[in-house]
């Protein structure tokens, strides 16, 4: 199966591509970049091929600036975006990134019209909306990475707190990939036992934990300049789930049309059943009153940023 990564010279793009190239279900990988980065992705492709030979993996890797090469892709990952500088507001970043995401989404619609778009570019919930509108794809085929990565970060924190293997923790963050993330405690379990049944639960500082998850990305960026392995493995989870038609329930950004407590016309992170058709079902979660209140705040915040952004973009994107 063929997968393309746009913005492949970037730190997330190349890490994701390398991770995906290792997946046996991927047979063809196309690294797509602007002309100015072509040399770099040619080098990346050769380096990856050398590494993969050591593992007897014979995947085809094509570096290219010709976007027609994405033809036949089952999934196209969009990881292109301008870097955020300290003086930039979220909206300052959203406008140039929306133009990039819209431009690439239209190319995807032209050259890989049957594909699924996976948006990584931040602010990802808003960018997923842009990709949905610009591509004209049905909503099941436009998804964004955000809360899946947040949920993995939370899983790690709980595993450490409870001194338990990470695979035993089932938890979710929904809402915005950003300030308004919502920890779904009511659906958190450890080893299949509801979280609240554990005696340690009472002594946990949940506010501090959620703050840690919110700041996890910036913390890594301050230390090493970018997040790479976390997003890359989260992307590979999503791509593999789709290509193998695994029907796993992952928390992804998707366009909502009233399924979750009437929330509509906004892209937000919610649990979805993921398979070969992309989002095959949006899972209606039962939230506690507090969770619902937070989710509504997240929905309002993302919807208002989305509307503000869309009003500042040309009508034809
Ligand atoms: P990066 O290293 O700066 O790479 C971004 C890539 O975007 C560049 O290498 C370039 O790719 C492309 N690009 C830059 N300016 C462009 C422009 N004006 N027009 C078209 N393409 C342009 O950034 P990164 O660390 O990989 O992060 C990429 C994006 O993912 C960012 O928006 C980041 O915030 C986001 N992100 C999201 C998550 C998530 O969970 N959703 C996690 C991590 C990062 P080419 O030169 O190859 O064209």
């Amino acid at each position: 199966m063929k997968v393309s990564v746009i913005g492949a010279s970037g730190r997330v793009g190349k890490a994701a591509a390398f991770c995906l190239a290792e997946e046996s279900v991927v047979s063809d990988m196309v690294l797509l970049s602007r002309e100015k980065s072509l040399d770099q992705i040619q080098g990346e492709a050769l380096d990856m091929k050398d590494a993969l030979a050591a593992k007897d993996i014979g995947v085809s890797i094509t570096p290219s600036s010709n976007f027609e090469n994405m033809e036949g892709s089952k999934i196209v990952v969009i990881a292109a975006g301008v870097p955020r500088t300290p003086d930039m507001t979220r909206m300052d970043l959203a406008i140039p990134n929306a133009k990039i995401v819209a431009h690439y989404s239209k190319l995807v619609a032209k050259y890989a019209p049957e594909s699924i778009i996976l948006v990584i570019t931040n602010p990802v919930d808003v960018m997923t909306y842009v990709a949905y509108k610009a591509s004209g794809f049905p909503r099941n085929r436009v998804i964004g990475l955000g809360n899946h990565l947040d949920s993995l970060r939370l899983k790690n924190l709980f595993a450490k707190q409870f001194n338990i293997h990470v695979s035993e923790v089932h938890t979710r963050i929904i809402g915005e990939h950003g300030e308004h993330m919502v920890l779904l405690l009511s659906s958190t379990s450890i080893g299949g036992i509801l979280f609240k049944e554990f005696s340690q639960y009472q002594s946990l500082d949940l506010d501090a934990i959620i703050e840690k998850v919110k700041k996890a990305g910036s913390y890594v960026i301050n230390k090493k300049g970018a997040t790479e392995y976390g997003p890359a493995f989260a992307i590979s989870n999503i791509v593999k789930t789709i290509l193998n038609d695994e029907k796993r329930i992952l928390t992804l950004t998707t366009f909502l049309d009233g399924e979750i407590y009437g929330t509509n016309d906004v892209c937000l992170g919610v649990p979805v059943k993921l398979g070969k058709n992309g989002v095959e079902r949006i899972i209606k979660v039962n939230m506690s009153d507090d969770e619902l209140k937070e989710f509504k705040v997240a929905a309002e915040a993302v919807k208002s940023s989305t509307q503000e952004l869309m009003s500042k973009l040309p009508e034809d994107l």
Side-chain angles (χ1 to χ4, degrees):
M1 297 227 204
K2 180 168 173 178
V3 177
S4 295
V5 178
I6 299 179
S9 76
R11 289 159 297 190
V12 170
K14 68 183 171 193
F18 188 43
C19 204
L20 286 168
E22 262 203 279
E23 293 292 347
S24 54
V25 67
V26 177
S27 57
D28 282 275
M29 165 77 62
V30 183
L31 307 181
L32 291 164
S33 276
R34 295 165 300 165
E35 192 75 37
K36 66 196 254 191
S37 307
L38 189 56
D39 267 350
Q40 188 193 331
I41 56 165
Q42 284 171 341
E44 297 291 352
L46 290 171
D47 198 15
M48 285 183 203
K49 284 294 285 179
D50 291 347
L52 294 164
K55 296 192 100 187
D56 288 332
I57 295 172
V59 61
S60 145
I61 303 181
T62 311
S64 177
S65 287
N66 178 357
F67 286 76
E68 286 179 33
N69 277 319
M70 69 172 103
E71 191 184 339
S73 298
K74 177 71 186 151
I75 301 177
V76 179
V77 179
I78 302 182
V82 295
R84 184 171 173 171
T85 54
D87 56 322
M88 265 180 154
T89 64
R90 280 175 162 261
M91 197 47 68
D92 289 340
L93 180 74
I95 293 171
N97 278 355
K99 289 181 181 162
I100 295 169
V101 169
H103 168 69
Y104 283 139
S105 300
K106 285 181 176 173
L107 290 182
V108 179
K110 185 168 176 191
Y111 297 121
E114 300 306 321
S115 65
I116 291 169
I117 298 178
L118 171 55
V119 182
I120 314 301
T121 312
N122 272 323
V124 71
D125 302 297
V126 181
M127 293 304 125
T128 306
Y129 187 94
V130 170
Y132 170 55
K133 293 290 172 185
S135 64
F137 279 10
R139 63 182 175 139
N140 59 301
R141 290 202 278 118
V142 184
I143 51 181
L145 166 73
N147 290 152
H148 178 51
L149 178 57
D150 300 324
S151 302
L152 295 174
R153 288 170 171 157
L154 180 63
K155 219 169 137 80
N156 260 336
L157 289 173
F158 282 153
K160 193 172 170 202
Q161 287 276 347
F162 282 72
N163 189 23
I164 208 144
H165 195 277
V166 70
S167 65
E168 294 297 325
V169 181
H170 289 273
T171 191
R172 252 169 234 291
I173 281 185
I174 61 169
E176 185 190 15
H177 174 60
E179 196 46 41
H180 300 286
M181 42 179 88
V182 182
L183 195 172
L184 266 195
L185 258 197
S186 54
S187 332
T188 297
S189 64
I190 295 183
I193 298 158
L194 268 184
F195 194 59
K196 290 183 179 170
E197 306 287 324
F198 286 82
S199 55
Q200 294 105 305
Y201 169 72
Q202 303 298 341
S203 56
L204 278 183
D205 185 348
L206 289 168
D207 289 340
I209 288 177
I210 190 80
E211 270 314 296
K212 263 195 177 169
V213 179
K214 278 184 197 168
K215 297 204 167 92
S218 327
Y219 190 75
V220 176
I221 291 169
N222 286 337
K223 292 276 182 196
K224 62 168 273 193
T227 56
E228 296 168 292
Y229 312 126
F233 274 75
I235 292 166
S236 134
N237 268 177
I238 296 166
V239 170
K240 194 164 69 74
T241 300
I242 295 171
L243 296 182
N244 287 329
D245 193 22
E246 288 174 19
K247 310 218 185 286
R248 289 179 65 194
I249 296 178
L250 300 181
T251 315
L252 299 177
T253 302
T254 188
F255 181 84
L256 295 178
D257 191 20
E259 296 81 1
I260 310 280
Y261 293 95
T263 309
N264 71 346
D265 198 27
V266 64
C267 288
L268 272 188
V270 291
V272 301
K273 182 173 118 183
L274 197 65
K276 66 176 188 305
N277 301 311
V279 173
E280 298 188 351
R281 188 146 66 92
I282 291 171
I283 309 293
K284 166 105 170 57
V285 269
N286 285 323
M287 298 181 215
S288 69
D289 290 350
D290 284 347
E291 289 164 356
L292 180 56
K293 213 186 285 170
E294 289 177 34
F295 183 77
K296 286 189 167 167
V297 171
E300 266 320 301
V302 176
K303 197 169 180 172
S304 100
S305 322
T306 306
Q307 286 171 349
E308 186 186 343
L309 171 73
M310 297 308 276
S311 72
K312 290 182 171 158
L313 293 175
E315 276 209 358
D316 60 351
L317 285 180

